[in-house]
Amino acid sequence: MVGGKNKYMINGHTAQEQAVANMLQSVQLSINNPHFLIMQGKITQVLNMHPPEILAMIEEAAGTRMFEERKDKAQKTMSKKDKKIEEISAILTEEITPKLDKLRHEKQAYLEYQKVEIELDRLRRLVVAYDYTKCEESLNNSNSSMASGRARLDEMAVQLETIKAEIANIAKSKAKTEEKRRAEMSKSGEFKTLQAQIDELSKELVRIKTQSDLKTASIKEEQAAKSKLVASKGKFESELAKRATSFEKQMSKYTQEKQQYDEKAKDVTQLEELLQSLTTGVASDEGREGGFMQQLQEAKKEASEAATAIEQSKLRISLLKDESKEINGNLKKALKDNTGLLKEKESLEAQVASLDARINTHAFKPEAKRELGQQRAEIMSQIEAIDDRRRGMEAQMGNFDFQYQDPVRNFDRSKIKGLVAQLFNIEDKNKFAATALEITAGGRIYNVIVDDDETGALLLKNGGLRRRVTIIPLNKIAAQQLSPDVINFAKSLAPGRVDTALSLIGYPDDLEKAMAYVFGSTFVCKDPQTAEQMAFHKNIRKKAVTLEGDVYDPAGTMQGGAKPSSAGILNRLQALKNTRQQHAALRKELAAIDAQLAAIDELKDEYVQISRERDLAKHKLSLVEQQLSYSSHAHMTSRLESIASELAVQEDTIPDASARHTAAQKRAQTIEQEMGEFSQDKGGKIKQLKKRLTKLKEALPAAEKKMKECQRVTQEVTVEKEELESEISELVAQAEGSDSAIKAFEAERDEIEATLAQTKDELDDKQSAFSRLNKKLLVYDKDIAELDQLHRNKQSDQTTIQLESEQLAHELERSESAQGKNQRTLDALTKEHPWIMDQKLSFGQPDTPYDFIKNDPTQAKRHLRKLEDQFASMRKTTNTAVMTNIENVTKREAGLKQMLKTVIRDKRKIEETISSLDKYKVETLERTWKLVDKDFGAIFGELLPGNTSRLDMLEGEPLSAGLAIKVNLGGVWKHSLTELSGGQRSLIALSLILSLLQFKPAP
């Protein structure tokens, strides 16, 4: 201990504590086990050792103790290695691997980003090269087209000046001819007079026609009102008929109830009077006797009156029958006197019936003629309105008035079909494409279609054409139509957004070649994008026109902007065609009505004759009936009818009177019977009568109430019936008034129509006279008409040339604007992309990056737009430094994995060393134990003859658990060393020490 610290020295030299320990262990001495030197007096302490301590002494002797210490150090080192492995694994698992996975994903995204960037640059160069090429081609093409356009514009200006001069000359010639015509007209005053009379009659005719129409309308209104009245009357009559039965039932019920009540009231009154008379002897009514006698007299009087009525009726019946018999006897004689008149009456009635049947079945119907006349007037007004509209349209569409003269005699005009614009139709569902179709046709819309080239040559040579035309002969024209494959591919590329121009028009089958020549090679598209696809797609490349009129040509040119001045011409032409069709349809309908009216007029005379004959027959019949009414036969017949009615009344009276006579007799018998009962028992009879009176009085209020209720209901029913009858009467009166008004209107209308017919005849006469005078002016009118037609043709030519000139000027302006735009575009592209000048020669060349056939520019543009959006999105999320980061992390991962391999390898070597040491230790320890155990028993036997000892392993435990000392004294193995004496114990301990020293002596 020096300075508070342990200091170790070997051979006078300072050494470390571990070096001292290693030196001692090398000679089988352990500083941790102090028993390798046993002090005197301490030897017996060996016996107190535990089995592990005894084993430790064996290990010391065997020299394996040092192995245990080194094994402990190695295990501690292995623990450190395990911790290191855990640390490295945790770093790899929790930090390096996730980070590396993330960086690898980012690397993949970065590689995709680089790929997109490269493709984007390639597409940009391709699109720029294509735009540059197209601008350059458009610029070169526009120079040549502008030169030809300016030359054509100058030519048109010369043509316009020539046509203006011709129009002025035509106007001068027309003015001279009109002056001559006016001079001719002024020579004859009759012409002006007839003209004035015709004008006046025309106005009068219109006025009368208006009055007739008004009267007809009034008749229709009255007839409609009458129909409503008749319908209402029928409704009320039906309601009245429905209620008639219930009314009769109610009236019958009321009569029955009233009769029952009156009978009950009469019974009460008579019974009261009878009681008063019987009890007091005085009648209630002054001048009447009262009592049974009074009632008996009244009953007998009523029976007598009924019998008298029966006798009177029988007598009257007998007299009437005698009179009837007498009249019937004289009637035959009177009938013979009127036989002629009766036969004449029957004949006239048959004639009237026959004439009525003929009139009813006659084909001539005045109502039908009036309706046809109204229809004709309406159609004429429609034709006049359509004529005005058609003339206005034709004046505006003078360019499409194709005039020519027959090139040869008896020329078949069906060989010349007409202008293209007039030979096809646009259905209503396709009118949206009118502008596109007009742009598609262009100048070809004014071409003339003929059947063959010979007809075209004749027309050009001898047709007297007043303007230049292009002729399309059907036998020579070569039409270029779109192939079905191209059409199907185009429709699959843009479904619902593209159609062929030819499919949007209708035309006759024999004109298919001409229409295909005009429209067959063009697509009509709904939007510019589709049109661009149709024009520039490598599998299509056909001309396309949008609905707004923009043109996309596969040659690279595009036209558009403001609509041409002639825009809408096809719609106006279609409207003119529709107007002409309406005019033709109305003319056809008018001809049919005129034919019907002519057929009706042919039947009119016969109908009028039959009507006159019927009216005459009716008049004769009325005269005959009047004569017959004044004859004796008529008086006798009338008297017989009155006798028959009176006989019926008298015969109905007898049963009623008989019933009253029987009832009165029965009542008289009853009264006589009661009088007998009263004379026998006056008090009892009075009580009986009073009792019956009380019952009758009690029943009377109920009967009165029932009668009044029935009366109220009957009054209500009667009021309703009277109201319905009043309504029906009013409706009948109104209907009769309507009939009167209709007859008055019809009479006025017939009078007006007669005046109208007279005015028409007068107007026809005046117009015939006017026509005769007007023939002298036909020569001048013909010249004026020809000059007018020539003037219109020249104006049409002028308008056409002006329109073409304006259109050409607009096209030149657009071309100049497009040329400047293309030049600016080229300059901007060259400035923005300097590489263009180096690679310009490769643009459009095959097998180069700028091959526009293999690389479709249109698809490239669409792909470019998608990639630009994708690239912009990727640039926000892509880590551009991922390559550096992944390299660093990969290096670190490799270092950690190498370190992990090294640590695992060192650990494995340590484990192998420990395993070999453990094996060697066990073998050495077992060998040492056996040798020491043998020497231990031998030495103890020498020290204490006849006895032995040994070192045994613990029962059921391995050698490493420890060793126990076993002693055999006198042939008996002792269970414990405590059974030994002190000397024996010392000998045992000494024997063990000596056996250890004998195995390996201590230094």
Side-chain angles (χ1 to χ4, degrees):
M1 180 73 67
V2 177
K5 293 182 179 180
N6 293 326
K7 186 175 181 181
Y8 301 93
M9 297 181 69
I10 297 176
N11 296 328
H13 298 284
T14 304
Q16 297 292 331
E17 181 181 3
Q18 186 62 39
V20 176
N22 290 337
M23 181 191 70
L24 293 176
Q25 286 177 355
S26 64
V27 291
Q28 287 78 38
L29 296 178
S30 176
I31 61 173
N32 296 318
N33 187 0
H35 300 294
F36 66 91
L37 292 178
I38 303 175
M39 296 178 62
Q40 189 176 2
K42 297 293 184 179
I43 192 168
T44 56
Q45 291 183 0
V46 174
L47 298 178
N48 296 328
M49 290 182 179
H50 296 292
E53 293 176 340
I54 295 173
L55 180 61
M57 291 177 65
I58 299 299
E59 289 176 352
E60 285 290 337
T64 60
R65 195 65 183 173
M66 180 178 62
F67 295 157
E68 284 294 324
E69 294 177 358
R70 292 191 175 181
K71 177 181 176 181
D72 293 339
K73 290 181 180 180
Q75 287 177 343
K76 291 178 180 178
T77 303
M78 282 180 62
S79 299
K80 294 179 180 178
K81 295 292 183 181
D82 289 336
K83 289 182 180 179
K84 191 67 175 178
I85 289 171
E86 290 177 0
E87 291 176 1
I88 294 172
S89 299
I91 292 172
L92 286 172
T93 304
E94 298 174 4
E95 181 180 352
I96 300 300
T97 301
K99 191 171 183 180
L100 198 57
D101 291 340
K102 179 183 177 183
L103 289 173
R104 284 171 182 162
H105 180 71
E106 291 179 353
K107 177 183 177 182
Q108 186 177 2
Y110 177 71
L111 293 175
E112 186 67 24
Y113 173 82
Q114 285 183 323
K115 182 179 178 181
V116 171
E117 188 175 18
I118 294 169
E119 181 66 14
L120 195 61
D121 182 66
R122 186 187 72 81
L123 290 176
R124 281 174 179 165
R125 285 178 175 258
L126 178 65
V127 171
V128 169
Y130 178 75
D131 291 342
Y132 183 86
T133 303
K134 289 302 175 184
C135 283
E136 194 173 34
E137 289 177 359
S138 179
L139 190 62
N140 295 333
N141 292 333
S142 63
N143 290 329
S144 59
S145 62
M146 284 177 65
S148 61
R150 290 192 181 96
R152 174 61 180 158
L153 196 62
D154 295 338
E155 182 182 350
M156 287 181 179
V158 175
Q159 290 179 355
L160 280 175
E161 293 299 327
T162 304
I163 291 174
K164 286 179 181 177
E166 292 176 353
I167 290 173
N169 293 331
I170 292 169
K172 290 179 182 178
S173 300
K174 180 182 176 183
K176 291 179 181 179
T177 305
E178 289 177 345
E179 184 63 31
K180 291 178 182 179
R181 186 180 184 279
R182 284 194 293 272
E184 184 66 29
M185 288 177 62
S186 62
K187 293 178 182 178
S188 175
E190 185 181 359
F191 186 87
K192 292 183 179 179
T193 303
L194 285 173
Q195 183 68 47
Q197 290 176 350
I198 289 172
D199 293 340
E200 185 64 30
L201 286 173
S202 298
K203 293 179 182 177
E204 183 66 16
L205 191 65
V206 172
R207 184 184 66 79
I208 296 172
K209 181 66 174 62
T210 303
Q211 290 179 353
S212 177
D213 293 341
L214 291 174
K215 292 299 179 185
T216 302
S218 300
I219 290 171
K220 287 184 177 180
E221 290 176 359
E222 286 295 335
Q223 288 175 344
K226 180 185 174 183
S227 299
K228 292 181 180 178
L229 292 172
V230 171
S232 300
K233 176 175 170 288
K235 183 179 179 181
F236 284 122
E237 287 178 344
S238 175
E239 184 66 23
L240 183 61
K242 289 180 181 178
R243 297 190 181 185
T245 304
S246 62
F247 174 75
E248 294 297 334
K249 289 182 180 179
Q250 185 63 35
M251 288 296 295
S252 175
K253 182 179 179 182
Y254 171 68
T255 303
Q256 183 179 358
E257 294 292 339
K258 181 73 167 60
Q259 185 177 359
Q260 291 178 358
Y261 174 74
D262 290 343
E263 290 177 356
K264 289 181 180 180
K266 184 178 178 182
D267 290 343
V268 169
T269 302
Q270 289 179 352
L271 194 57
E272 285 179 346
E273 291 177 354
L274 178 62
L275 282 172
Q276 185 176 358
S277 175
L278 293 176
T279 54
T280 61
V282 181
S284 60
D285 293 338
E286 190 176 347
R288 291 173 55 118
E289 295 181 7
F292 287 118
M293 292 302 297
Q294 180 66 28
Q295 292 182 3
L296 181 62
Q297 291 176 3
E298 290 178 353
K300 289 182 177 180
K301 181 181 179 181
E302 186 175 350
S304 176
E305 289 176 352
T308 303
I310 291 170
E311 293 298 328
Q312 288 177 351
S313 295
K314 289 181 178 179
L315 180 61
R316 184 62 181 165
I317 288 171
S318 176
L319 293 174
L320 289 173
K321 287 182 177 179
D322 292 340
E323 185 179 359
S324 175
K325 185 177 181 181
E326 182 181 357
I327 291 173
N328 285 324
N330 297 328
L331 186 64
K332 294 180 180 180
K333 182 180 179 182
L335 182 62
K336 291 179 180 179
D337 295 338
N338 295 330
T339 302
L341 289 175
L342 291 172
K343 288 183 178 179
E344 186 178 0
K345 178 185 176 185
E346 291 177 358
S347 175
L348 289 173
E349 287 177 346
Q351 185 180 358
V352 169
S354 175
L355 292 172
D356 283 336
R358 289 179 64 187
I359 287 174
N360 293 331
T361 58
H362 200 276
F364 178 80
K365 302 294 182 184
E367 297 82 3
K369 183 178 179 181
R370 283 195 294 271
E371 291 179 1
L372 288 174
Q374 294 173 2
Q375 293 178 12
R376 189 179 189 282
E378 293 174 0
I379 291 174
M380 284 298 297
S381 63
Q382 293 178 14
I383 289 175
E384 291 174 1
I386 289 177
D387 275 339
D388 293 339
R389 189 162 69 251
R390 178 177 58 82
R391 284 191 290 270
M393 290 182 178
E394 288 175 347
Q396 294 177 357
M397 309 295 290
N399 291 343
F400 297 94
D401 186 14
F402 178 61
Q403 298 287 337
Y404 67 94
Q405 64 185 18
D406 292 346
V408 294
R409 286 187 178 182
N410 301 322
F411 178 71
D412 185 5
R413 284 188 163 243
S414 63
K415 292 184 176 183
I416 298 177
K417 309 300 181 182
L419 295 177
V420 170
Q422 295 175 336
L423 296 175
F424 68 87
N425 294 317
I426 304 175
E427 296 182 3
D428 291 340
K429 65 180 181 179
N430 296 330
K431 281 187 176 180
F432 66 91
T435 301
L437 292 171
E438 181 180 341
I439 298 300
T440 300
R444 294 179 181 177
I445 203 171
Y446 301 98
N447 293 359
V448 179
I449 301 176
V450 298
D451 61 343
D452 54 36
D453 54 338
E454 294 180 1
T455 303
L458 284 173
L459 184 62
L460 291 175
K461 185 177 180 181
N462 303 323
L465 300 178
R466 295 182 176 88
R467 61 177 178 176
R468 293 181 62 83
V469 296
T470 300
I471 293 178
I472 303 176
L474 293 174
N475 66 330
K476 294 292 184 180
I477 194 67
Q480 294 182 355
Q481 293 191 21
L482 298 168
S483 66
D485 294 338
V486 172
I487 295 173
N488 293 334
F489 180 77
K491 289 189 175 181
S492 64
L493 187 64
R497 291 182 283 120
V498 62
D499 287 291
T500 60
L502 197 61
S503 67
L504 297 174
I505 61 173
Y507 51 86
D509 294 337
D510 58 340
L511 301 180
E512 184 173 2
K513 283 187 177 181
M515 295 303 169
Y517 168 71
V518 178
F519 298 101
S521 61
T522 305
F523 282 111
V524 174
C525 306
K526 291 188 177 180
D527 51 69
Q529 293 77 13
T530 306
E532 186 177 357
Q533 284 183 323
M534 298 302 107
F536 302 125
H537 194 281
K538 63 181 180 180
N539 294 333
I540 303 176
R541 298 188 67 80
K542 298 296 179 182
K543 183 180 178 182
V545 181
T546 65
L547 296 181
E548 290 75 21
D550 298 337
V551 182
Y552 290 78
D553 197 292
T557 61
M558 292 182 287
Q559 296 179 10
K563 293 185 178 180
S565 57
S566 62
I569 195 72
L570 289 185
N571 284 331
R572 294 199 293 273
L573 271 175
Q574 190 64 39
L576 178 58
K577 291 176 186 176
N578 294 338
T579 303
R580 287 174 175 170
Q581 291 173 358
Q582 292 175 7
H583 185 269
L586 288 173
R587 280 291 180 190
K588 185 176 180 181
E589 189 175 352
L590 181 64
I593 291 175
D594 288 340
Q596 293 179 19
L597 287 172
I600 289 174
D601 288 337
E602 292 177 358
L603 301 171
K604 182 178 179 181
D605 294 339
E606 183 182 359
Y607 179 83
V608 171
Q609 182 64 30
I610 296 172
S611 297
R612 288 176 181 173
E613 291 177 2
R614 183 191 62 176
D615 293 340
L616 181 60
K618 283 185 175 180
H619 179 65
K620 289 181 179 180
L621 180 61
S622 65
L623 292 176
V624 171
E625 288 176 346
Q626 187 176 7
Q627 290 179 11
L628 287 173
S629 65
Y630 295 140
S631 65
S632 59
H633 179 272
H635 287 294
M636 290 179 183
T637 303
S638 175
R639 179 56 187 163
L640 285 174
E641 291 176 355
S642 62
I643 287 173
S645 61
E646 189 175 354
L647 278 173
V649 172
Q650 295 298 330
E651 288 175 354
D652 291 338
T653 302
I654 290 174
D656 183 60
S658 298
R660 287 191 287 109
H661 180 266
T662 302
Q665 285 183 339
K666 286 183 179 180
R667 192 163 63 253
Q669 291 176 1
T670 301
I671 292 171
E672 289 176 352
Q673 182 179 356
E674 288 181 350
M675 288 176 63
E677 292 175 356
F678 181 76
S679 61
Q680 294 176 3
D681 187 5
K682 181 178 180 180
K685 189 64 177 178
I686 290 173
K687 289 181 180 179
Q688 183 181 359
L689 291 175
K690 286 182 178 180
K691 187 176 181 181
R692 190 170 67 178
L693 177 62
T694 302
K695 287 183 179 180
L696 288 174
K697 283 185 177 181
E698 289 176 354
L700 189 62
E704 183 181 7
K705 182 178 180 182
K706 188 175 181 182
M707 183 269 296
K708 287 184 177 180
E709 178 63 23
C710 189
Q711 182 182 14
R712 182 186 64 78
V713 175
T714 304
Q715 288 176 350
E716 291 177 356
V717 173
T718 304
V719 170
E720 290 178 359
K721 179 186 176 186
E722 290 174 354
E723 288 178 353
L724 287 174
E725 290 175 345
S726 176
E727 291 287 345
I728 292 171
S729 300
E730 290 180 4
L731 291 173
V732 170
Q734 292 178 7
E736 291 175 353
S738 295
D739 288 334
S740 301
I742 290 171
K743 290 179 180 178
F745 284 140
E746 287 178 346
E748 292 176 2
R749 185 187 63 188
D750 294 340
E751 183 180 351
I752 290 171
E753 286 184 349
T755 306
L756 181 64
Q758 182 180 356
T759 305
K760 281 184 179 179
D761 295 338
E762 188 176 354
L763 179 60
D764 292 339
D765 295 339
K766 297 296 182 183
Q767 286 178 341
S768 298
F770 181 78
S771 298
R772 288 193 297 272
L773 290 175
N774 196 38
K775 287 181 180 178
K776 299 178 182 179
L777 302 176
L778 288 178
V779 177
Y780 295 109
D781 290 339
K782 185 177 181 182
D783 293 339
I784 291 171
E786 290 179 354
L787 289 171
D788 284 338
Q789 184 61 43
L790 184 60
H791 187 271
R792 284 197 297 272
N793 292 338
K794 291 299 180 182
Q795 281 186 332
S796 175
D797 294 341
Q798 182 183 10
T799 304
T800 302
I801 295 174
Q802 283 179 345
L803 290 174
E804 292 180 0
S805 177
E806 291 175 1
Q807 186 174 2
L808 184 57
H810 288 311
E811 290 178 359
L812 287 174
E813 289 177 3
R814 288 197 295 270
S815 297
E816 289 177 357
S817 175
Q819 187 179 22
K821 182 179 179 182
N822 289 335
Q823 186 60 51
R824 290 192 296 274
T825 303
L826 287 176
D827 295 339
L829 289 173
T830 305
K831 184 177 179 181
E832 185 178 356
H833 307 286
W835 53 267
I836 290 177
M837 302 309 296
D838 297 334
Q839 302 184 22
K840 179 179 177 181
L841 297 177
S842 301
F843 290 174
Q845 298 300 318
D847 299 328
T848 66
Y850 307 104
D851 186 351
F852 300 144
I853 296 176
K854 291 183 179 179
N855 302 310
D856 186 2
T858 304
Q859 292 183 352
K861 286 181 180 179
R862 289 198 298 270
H863 194 197
L864 178 61
R865 287 193 291 270
K866 291 181 181 178
L867 284 182
E868 285 177 343
D869 296 338
Q870 182 181 354
F871 186 74
S873 176
M874 292 175 68
R875 187 163 49 191
K876 296 177 182 178
T877 58
T878 303
N879 181 10
T880 54
V882 67
M883 300 305 292
T884 303
N885 294 339
I886 198 170
E887 184 179 358
N888 295 334
V889 175
T890 304
K891 288 181 180 179
R892 187 180 178 194
E893 181 192 30
L896 288 172
K897 286 185 176 179
Q898 185 62 35
M899 186 184 299
L900 183 62
K901 287 181 181 179
T902 304
V903 172
I904 292 172
R905 186 175 62 250
D906 293 345
K907 178 183 176 184
R908 187 169 59 252
K909 288 180 179 180
I910 292 172
E911 289 175 346
E912 291 175 355
T913 302
I914 291 173
S915 176
S916 62
L917 287 175
D918 286 341
K919 184 177 179 182
Y920 177 73
K921 171 187 173 182
V922 171
E923 291 176 354
T924 303
L925 189 62
E926 187 175 357
R927 187 174 59 252
T928 303
W929 165 58
K930 289 181 179 180
L931 291 174
V932 172
D933 179 58
K934 181 180 178 182
D935 291 340
F936 176 53
I939 292 172
F940 183 71
E942 290 181 359
L943 295 177
L944 195 64
N947 299 304
T948 184
S949 64
R950 64 184 183 192
L951 294 175
D952 277 346
M953 291 188 299
L954 298 178
E955 186 177 358
E957 297 291 339
L959 180 62
S960 60
L963 295 173
I965 299 174
K966 298 292 183 179
V967 178
N968 187 333
L969 294 177
V972 179
W973 291 95
K974 299 299 183 181
H975 293 291
S976 174
L977 295 179
T978 56
E979 297 179 11
L980 301 179
S981 62
Q984 291 174 338
R985 290 168 58 89
S986 297
L987 289 175
I988 288 296
L990 182 62
S991 297
L992 180 58
I993 294 302
L994 290 175
S995 63
L996 290 172
L997 291 175
Q998 186 175 351
F999 175 76
K1000 195 166 188 178

